[in-house]
């Protein structure tokens, strides 16, 4: 067996294992419900094909120096076929366990349902199904491998077209709602929850051609600059204005549900920006960020909820008469959050980075446990939490309406965005960056590390509590179930995906991680699963995130523990960067 | 700034120089010490619990603590050679115990658990250890190995991702419901020690943990591979130059930590009787607390930390809080664990038996 063949077979086995994994955690069956092209192909099948194709593509990658390490077509095809065969063989074995040995596999592997078995064998008998699966793998691998023969432009055009087609299909329900909202006829494009055949072809062709067109003039940006009378500067203006306009009209072209989801995205943008200050700017990994979210929600609830002991009629002597206004409560809330942020931050600031993370996590759990306990039930309402939080009063508008609250949330998110940008380039931001890169040197340069760390904690806490305040006003409850550790991890995932320290990254991260799973029901179930995978994958493949912050990216690509470096090796690393 | 009044600048100076951190620390220490002491005295005065109850709480604390100690060994071993916190270690522990559940059900349906308890418990230990070991090794290969030499926070974020990923993977495999382990009649009930009844499961957990700890101690201190582990922990590059296969040693470390976690999973099931896909998270965090308490990197420290934490968890809330008039103090157990974690890291970052490592602070 030649090394090339061995590599292909190994890749194929891994590819098969990936598909089997997707099957055994129930993703395939869940995604089978989502059509890509209505009545033609479902997302489950597409996912299998994508996996086979991806491994075929990787296996067929040419070696260094442009010389093919092996025949592409063969490598891709072998990989795909091996992957398909692996899946097929395992499916046959499992089928034998169920029908032959009458072992109730499902009592252990809950996902091994008849639907799954049918899906994996394409509704045929197991053996035929396995052969079909191998054939599918072979074809997908061959096609993917042959992409290497095409020119770069062709390859990119085809890939973008395919991506547009898959994402267009996955987002079909959302796009349909938007097009309906704008009264654009779309029956020819979308059919219920997937694309029509025409739609698939149109999407593929449109994006493919657009990419091809932009290649001709050297990229989309250059294409726009070619238009007479544009320059870098006014192009940026135009884009900003268009983005603002888009945000402004968005709630009116989508339905209430989507506006509600967008509201949540806005909340996560707020939270993400807050955490980004702590983690991204100051380099302090805070895993208890949910504590501030909770503080915000509970403070507003205590100050404005009818069920609060301060407000409610059942308590004999309410400290605050009647309803306190949301706008009165917010500054108080922020103040409380800042105090708590400093109180949590102060004792732990001397700790090493990873210890700091765990301690903040501990603080988050302590706060949640306290809120849940019988001991403080009179204050925080125990597991039920505080209900009937007053809505945000705003010129007599009904702010429970997601389309109205949307604007309020985004106004504050915009404010946080502005503050983030200003902080980042300010003296404070530079002090944070210095501290993050090397604490001792920063201290030596006259940066008061304690002061700036506390400042980071306090700012992060203030922004986070604002998110919590809106959360409570939006849902009209504050209960401990909403403030688990998972929220901290979700926000962290948002920041990490977009790029640690990157402000636009937070926006993109929130849209992708909070918006998409809400809109794609089938994904919702696997949301945390996918978050976990994203955290691992991003850190390994692209630690600077989707929209990298330049300075941060440089730091991340600099090895932390350099071995005792001679002058020579230090120069050498500098030379590389 | 030059035209500032003298009083103003003195005030600013005070603000600049005010030792915020120390002030908060001292205040915190005083409050906790006062609260603990006042609560304990009140509880003991009220005399709601007899001596036997305290003794029982103590023993169940030791049993619980032994399980924490064995899980903590996994954190300590990995930290000792890679200096990363393997946040997903709790999920490694869950994987074994959850998988062994299905073996236990199979054995119970064949009547093996009743007729051959020792053999079946042995099988459970082996299955659980092997599964956990496999998961730990895969984890190292996929999630941690590509990140050697990355800034410290990078593997920590990966570890958090891995923790979530493993939890939901096993949820996908085995379902989202909690499942009750079949009972093993041979280990129900109590043994009389002297005239004092001790629950069999408690004693078995303690003895099992001691045995596991001794095995590990022997491996690390007396075998070749143990010496290699220590060498890699000391200095990876020099160890490699001396002919130690660093990758293999790291895989071995993860494997052995995983196997211990799997075994601890069975001990845990003896005590708590239930498996669910989220079961690993909090024991994992508590075991981490135990490892930090004892001094991370130290094997003896892990055992010590586990025991202290276990005892504080069972005895603590009743002793400190009951007398202070806190209703249902056992709800507040997580506060004990995390409170200890926070306090230890603040006041004694090296733990009891570890060296406070200032050089690696970053």
């Amino acid at each position: 067996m030649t090394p090339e063949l061995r590599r292909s077979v190994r890749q194929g086995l891994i590819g098969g294992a990936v598909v089997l994994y997707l099957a055994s955690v129930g993703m395939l069956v869940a995604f089978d419900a989502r059509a890509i092209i209505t009545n033609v192909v479902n997302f489950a099948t597409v996912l299998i094909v994508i996996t086979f194709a991806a491994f075929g593509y990787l296996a067929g990658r040419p070696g260094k120096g442009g010389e093919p390490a092996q025949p592409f077509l063969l490598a891709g095809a072998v990989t795909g076929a091996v992957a398909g065969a692996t899946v097929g063989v395992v499916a046959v074995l499992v089928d034998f366990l169920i029908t032959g040995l009458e072992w109730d596999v499902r009592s252990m592997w809950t996902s091994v349902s008849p639907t799954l078995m049918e899906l994996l064998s394409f509704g045929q008998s197991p053996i035929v199904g396995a052969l079909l699966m191998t054939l599918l793998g072979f074809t997908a691998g061959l096609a993917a491998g042959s992409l290497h023969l095409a020119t770069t432009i062709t390859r990119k055009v085809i890939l973008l077209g395919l991506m547009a087609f898959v994402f267009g299909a996955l987002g079909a329900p959302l796009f349909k709602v938007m097009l309906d909202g704008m009264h654009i006829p779309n029956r020819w494009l979308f059919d219920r929850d997937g694309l029509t055949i025409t739609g698939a072809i149109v999407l593929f062709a449109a994006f493919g051609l657009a990419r091809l067109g932009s290649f001709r003039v050297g990229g989309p940006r250059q294409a726009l600059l070619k238009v007479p009378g544009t320059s870098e500067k006014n192009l940026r203006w135009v884009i900003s204005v268009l983005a603002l306009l888009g945000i402004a009209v968005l709630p009116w072209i989508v339905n209430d549900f989507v506006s509600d989801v967008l509201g949540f995205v806005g909340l996560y943008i707020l939270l993400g920006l807050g955490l980004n200050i702590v983690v991204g700017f100051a380099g302090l990994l805070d895993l208890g960020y949910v504590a501030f979210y909770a503080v915000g929600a509970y403070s507003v609830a205590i100050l404005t909820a009818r069920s609060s002991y301060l407000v409610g009629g059942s308590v004999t002597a309410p400290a605050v008469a009647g309803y306190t206004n949301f706008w009165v409560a917010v500054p108080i809330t922020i103040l409380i959050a800042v105090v708590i942020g400093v109180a949590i931050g102060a004792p732990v600031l001397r700790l090493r980075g990873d210890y700091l993370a765990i301690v903040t996590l501990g603080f988050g759990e302590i706060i949640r446990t306290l809120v849940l306990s019988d001991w403080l039930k009179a204050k925080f309402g125990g597991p039920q939490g505080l209900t009937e939080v007053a809505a945000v009063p705003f010129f007599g508008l009904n702010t429970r309406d997601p389309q109205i609250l949307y604007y309020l949330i985004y106004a504050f998110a915009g404010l946080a965005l502005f503050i983030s940008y200003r902080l980042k380039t300010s003296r404070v931001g530079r002090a944070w960056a210095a501290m993050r890169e090397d604490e001792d040197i920063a201290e030596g340069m006259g940066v008061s590390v304690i002061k700036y760390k506390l400042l980071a904690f306090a700012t992060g806490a203030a922004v986070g509590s604002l998110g919590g305040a809106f959360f409570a006003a939006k849902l009209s409850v504050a209960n401990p179930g909403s403030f688990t550790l998972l929220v901290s991890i979700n926000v962290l995932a948002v920041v990490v995906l977009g790029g640690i320290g990157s402000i636009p990254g937070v926006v993109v991260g929130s849209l992708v991680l909070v918006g998409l799973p809400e809109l794609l029901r089938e994904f919702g179930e696997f949301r945390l699963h996918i978050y976990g995978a994203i955290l691992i994958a991003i850190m390994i493949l692209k630690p600077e995130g989707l929209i990298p912050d330049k300075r941060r990216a440089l730091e991340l690509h600099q090895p932390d523990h350099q071995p005792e470096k001679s002058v020579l090796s230090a120069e050498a690393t500098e030379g590389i960067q | 700034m030059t035209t500032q009044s003298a009083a103003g600048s003195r005030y600013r100076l005070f603000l600049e120089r005010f030792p915020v951190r120390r002030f908060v620390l001292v205040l915190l220490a005083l409050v906790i010490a006062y609260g603990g002491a006042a609560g304990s005295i009140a509880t003991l005065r009220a005399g709601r619990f007899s001596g036997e109850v305290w003794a029982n709480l103590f023993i169940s604390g030791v049993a619980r603590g032994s399980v924490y100690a064995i899980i903590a060994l996994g954190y300590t071993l990995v930290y000792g050679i890679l200096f990363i916190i393997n946040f997903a270690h709790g999920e490694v522990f869950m994987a074994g115990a959850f998988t062994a559940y299905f073996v236990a059900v199979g054995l119970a349906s064949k009547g093996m658990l009743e007729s051959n308890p020792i053999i079946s418990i042995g099988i459970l230990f082996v299955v659980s250890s092997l599964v956990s070991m496999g998961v730990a090794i895969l984890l190292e290969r996929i999630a941690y190995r590509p990140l050697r030499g990355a800034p410290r926070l990078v593997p920590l974020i990966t570890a958090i991702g891995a923790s979530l990923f493993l939890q939901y993977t096993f949820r996908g495999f085995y379902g989202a419901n909690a499942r009750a382990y079949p009972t093993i009649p041979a280990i129900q009930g109590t043994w009389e020690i002297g005239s004092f009844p001790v629950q069999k499961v408690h004693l078995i957990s303690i003895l099992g943990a001691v045995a596991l700890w001794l095995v590990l101690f022997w491996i690390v201190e007396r075998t070749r591979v143990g010496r290699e582990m220590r060498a890699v922990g000391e200095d990876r590059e020099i160890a490699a130059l001396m002919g130690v296969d660093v990758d293999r040693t790291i895989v071995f470390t993860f494997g052995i930590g995983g196997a211990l976690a799997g075994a601890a999973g069975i001990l845990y099931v003896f005590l708590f009787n239930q498996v669910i896909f989220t079961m690993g998270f909090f024991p994992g965090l508590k075991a981490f607390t135990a490892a930090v308490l004892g001094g991370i990197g130290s094997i003896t420290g892990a055992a010590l930390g586990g025991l202290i934490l276990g005892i504080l968890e069972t005895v603590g809330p009743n002793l400190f809080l009951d007398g202070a008039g806190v209703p249902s103090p056992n709800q507040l157990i997580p506060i004990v664990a995390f409170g200890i974690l926070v306090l230890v890291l603040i006041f004694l970052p090296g733990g009891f038996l570890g060296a406070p490592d200032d050089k690696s602070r970053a």
Side-chain angles (χ1 to χ4, degrees):
Chain A
M1 210 189 237
T2 63
E4 282 86 10
L5 190 61
R6 202 177 306 141
R7 203 181 75 151
S8 292
V9 171
R10 200 183 58 214
Q11 291 270 17
L13 287 174
I14 299 176
V18 169
V19 171
L20 288 172
Y21 175 85
L22 294 176
S24 60
V25 296
M27 280 195 196
L28 285 188
V29 170
F31 294 163
D32 197 36
R34 163 72 76 181
I36 289 289
I37 301 177
T38 309
N39 297 332
V40 179
V41 60
N42 287 345
F43 186 47
T45 321
V46 171
L47 200 60
I48 296 177
V49 172
I50 289 178
T51 314
F52 288 159
F55 279 89
Y57 185 79
L58 288 180
R61 214 166 20 176
K64 283 198 179 114
E67 280 301 306
Q70 52 185 311
F72 305 127
L73 298 177
L74 185 66
V78 168
T79 304
V82 170
T86 314
V87 177
V89 167
V90 172
V92 169
L93 283 179
V94 172
D95 187 72
F96 176 69
L97 283 179
I98 297 171
T99 52
L101 299 182
E102 299 194 338
W103 179 38
D104 185 10
V105 177
R106 222 183 158 183
S107 67
M108 181 170 174
W109 299 89
T110 42
S111 305
V112 184
S113 58
T115 328
L116 177 70
M117 298 312 291
E118 200 186 313
L119 183 87
L120 288 181
S121 59
F122 303 98
Q124 311 290 324
S125 78
I127 304 284
V128 179
L131 289 176
L132 283 175
M133 188 59 89
T134 313
L135 192 66
L136 183 71
F138 179 82
T139 323
L142 187 70
S146 63
L147 273 181
H148 287 292
L149 294 180
T151 57
T152 318
I153 293 185
T154 323
R155 192 163 64 229
K156 288 199 165 163
V157 165
I158 292 179
L159 284 180
L160 185 80
L162 285 176
M163 267 166 67
F165 152 61
V166 172
F167 282 106
L170 287 179
L174 172 67
F175 297 138
K176 197 166 158 50
V177 164
M178 286 172 72
L179 290 177
D180 282 342
M182 290 186 282
H183 303 291
I184 296 174
N186 53 52
R187 292 299 302 253
W188 56 276
L189 191 56
F190 297 118
D191 188 2
R192 287 199 311 282
D193 60 344
L195 291 168
T196 59
I197 296 178
T198 342
I201 296 169
V202 167
L203 267 184
F204 179 83
F207 276 82
L209 286 176
R211 186 82 175 106
L212 193 62
S214 78
F215 262 117
R216 282 278 151 76
V217 290
R221 199 176 184 86
Q222 295 302 318
L224 283 173
L225 283 174
K226 279 265 168 71
V227 180
T230 48
S231 68
E232 279 284 342
K233 196 179 168 199
N234 52 27
L235 188 64
R236 204 173 306 151
W237 269 105
V238 170
I239 291 174
S240 313
V241 169
L242 281 182
L244 270 180
L245 261 179
I247 292 173
V249 296
L250 204 52
W252 302 105
I253 59 176
V254 295
N255 53 14
D256 266 9
F257 170 68
V258 180
S259 305
D260 202 42
V261 170
L262 287 173
F264 265 108
V265 173
L267 280 183
Y268 267 85
I269 293 178
L270 261 180
L271 292 177
L273 287 171
L275 187 65
N276 195 37
I277 291 174
V278 186
V279 178
F281 294 180
L284 307 164
L285 184 54
D286 181 354
L287 290 181
Y289 195 62
V290 67
F292 304 124
Y293 190 43
V295 165
Y298 269 96
S299 308
V300 162
I302 286 174
L303 289 167
T304 71
R306 202 191 300 256
S307 62
S308 153
Y309 70 103
L310 276 181
V311 180
S314 61
V315 178
T316 42
V320 183
Y323 288 106
T324 333
N325 188 311
F326 177 85
W327 301 112
V328 179
V330 160
I332 304 176
T333 300
I334 290 179
L335 199 67
I336 296 173
V338 166
V339 169
I340 292 183
V342 171
I344 289 182
V348 298
L349 287 183
R350 280 282 165 200
L351 292 179
R352 244 184 24 218
D354 40 6
Y355 276 10
L356 180 81
I358 304 279
V359 167
T360 47
L361 186 153
F363 269 123
E365 281 302 306
I366 288 176
I367 287 191
R368 193 176 66 92
T369 314
L370 282 178
V371 163
L372 250 172
S373 67
D374 286 352
W375 178 35
L376 297 175
K377 197 170 175 179
K379 301 270 191 299
F380 298 121
Q384 283 82 44
L386 297 169
T387 51
E388 295 181 74
V389 178
V392 184
F394 195 70
F395 299 115
L397 291 167
N398 173 21
T399 51
R400 285 266 189 263
D401 181 350
Q403 286 179 332
I404 308 237
L405 193 61
Y406 170 94
Y407 289 107
L408 280 176
I409 292 176
Y410 276 84
F412 276 87
L415 185 69
L417 211 63
F418 176 72
I419 293 175
S420 286
Y421 267 115
R422 299 295 294 177
L423 272 178
K424 191 174 182 177
T425 49
S426 70
R427 186 187 174 80
V428 178
R430 276 176 282 133
W432 279 336
M435 197 171 82
R436 184 182 70 205
E437 289 186 33
D438 193 316
E439 214 174 300
D440 296 332
I441 295 182
E443 190 125 47
M445 291 290 147
V447 173
S448 162
V449 169
I450 289 284
K451 183 173 127 191
Y452 282 104
K453 279 189 175 178
L454 283 180
L455 195 62
F457 259 98
T459 322
V463 178
S465 70
L466 197 59
F470 272 108
F471 177 80
K474 181 169 161 65
L475 295 189
S476 87
V477 302
N479 65 357
S482 321
F483 305 111
T484 60
L485 175 68
L486 283 175
V487 177
S488 298
I489 296 183
N490 290 355
V491 182
L492 181 68
V494 162
V495 173
V496 166
L497 178 73
I500 298 173
S502 152
I503 297 170
V506 170
V507 179
V508 173
S510 310
L511 279 172
V512 172
L513 288 185
V514 185
L516 283 186
E518 290 283 347
L519 297 175
L520 308 173
R521 278 182 328 283
E522 292 81 7
F523 281 93
E525 194 188 330
F526 297 100
R527 174 185 197 148
L528 296 166
H529 206 141
I530 295 170
Y531 280 16
I534 284 180
L535 281 177
I536 302 176
I538 287 276
M539 281 295 117
I540 291 177
L541 302 174
K542 208 170 183 313
E544 65 274 28
L546 291 183
I547 305 184
D549 175 51
K550 268 194 199 124
R551 192 190 312 225
R552 187 81 197 190
L554 280 179
E555 278 168 50
L556 279 165
H557 286 290
Q558 204 169 46
D560 196 27
H561 297 291
Q562 275 163 0
E564 300 301 319
K565 45 194 166 208
S566 62
V567 179
L568 195 73
S569 73
E571 272 173 11
T573 33
E574 265 174 28
I576 290 166
Q577 280 157 8
Chain B
M1 289 301 185
T2 46
T3 56
Q4 222 171 30
S5 72
S9 75
R10 213 178 303 141
Y11 174 67
R12 281 183 61 86
L13 202 65
F14 174 73
L15 272 189
E16 289 279 321
R17 299 254 172 101
F18 185 70
V20 184
R21 185 169 167 275
R22 196 164 305 157
F23 179 74
V24 174
L25 285 187
V26 171
L27 208 66
L28 198 68
L30 285 178
V31 167
I32 290 167
Y34 171 76
S40 309
I41 292 169
T43 309
L44 294 177
R45 273 231 187 99
R48 260 184 56 200
F49 302 113
S50 65
E52 196 174 327
V53 173
W54 287 120
N56 266 325
L57 282 176
F58 183 79
I59 289 176
S60 77
V62 174
R64 195 186 270 217
S66 339
V67 178
Y68 291 158
I70 299 303
I71 308 174
L73 289 175
Y75 282 104
T76 274
L77 285 177
V78 168
Y79 194 89
I81 79 170
L82 278 180
F83 303 101
I84 60 169
I85 299 172
N86 178 12
F87 202 76
H89 191 61
E91 275 59 47
V92 170
F93 152 88
M94 172 272 293
F98 207 163
T99 309
Y101 162 81
F102 297 99
V103 178
V105 169
L107 290 173
S109 72
K110 299 256 185 328
M112 281 278 280
L113 286 185
E114 283 181 47
S115 55
N116 270 326
I118 296 184
I119 293 178
S120 17
I121 289 177
I123 294 176
L124 290 183
F125 270 111
V126 170
V127 169
S128 179
S129 295
L130 285 179
V131 171
S132 290
M133 193 157 102
V135 172
I137 289 174
L138 273 179
L139 185 68
E140 192 272 334
R141 183 72 193 79
I142 296 173
Y144 297 143
R145 192 177 299 179
L147 293 174
R148 299 242 184 97
R152 291 188 96 106
L153 290 186
V154 170
L156 185 64
I157 293 174
T158 312
I160 295 164
S163 164
L164 207 59
F165 185 74
L166 283 175
Q167 275 186 34
Y168 282 83
T169 296
F170 279 86
R171 185 188 127 122
F173 285 170
Y174 302 146
N177 302 330
R179 311 209 188 200
Y181 249 69
T183 50
I184 304 171
I187 59 166
Q188 304 301 309
T190 57
W191 277 315
E192 302 276 323
I193 295 182
S195 61
F196 187 76
V198 177
Q199 284 196 26
K200 286 182 186 173
V201 284
H202 287 162
L203 209 61
I204 290 174
S205 296
I206 297 167
L207 294 177
V210 169
L212 288 167
W213 186 86
L214 286 175
V215 170
L216 180 80
F217 190 80
W218 177 75
I219 291 178
V220 173
E221 296 293 331
R222 294 278 180 275
T223 62
R224 183 187 167 83
V225 73
R227 204 158 58 229
E228 289 177 350
M229 282 163 67
R230 282 178 287 142
V232 173
E234 201 70 43
D235 190 318
R236 202 181 299 163
E237 301 208 343
I238 304 285
L241 287 176
M242 294 293 137
V244 175
D245 183 342
V246 173
D247 274 345
R248 214 199 53 190
T249 309
I250 291 174
V251 167
F252 185 82
T253 309
F254 269 87
I256 201 166
L260 285 170
I266 298 296
L267 297 179
Y268 182 86
V269 164
F270 286 165
L271 293 178
F272 296 99
N273 242 325
Q274 219 187 34
V275 284
I276 184 170
F277 73 103
T278 51
M279 68 182 269
F281 193 77
F282 282 109
L285 270 183
K286 287 172 182 173
F288 174 74
T289 307
V292 171
L293 184 61
I296 198 155
S298 153
I299 296 176
T300 320
L304 187 69
L307 289 182
I308 295 176
L309 182 65
I311 295 165
L312 276 177
E313 267 197 3
T314 51
V315 178
N318 293 304
L319 182 63
F320 302 143
L321 299 175
D322 195 73
V326 174
S328 34
N330 282 323
Q331 277 182 341
L332 302 178
I333 284 182
I335 295 187
V336 174
F338 294 121
I340 289 174
L341 177 66
V342 173
L343 294 179
V344 170
L345 285 179
I346 294 170
F347 292 107
L348 195 71
F352 289 131
L353 299 177
D357 50 351
D358 260 359
K359 60 171 184 186
S360 47
R361 199 178 73 206

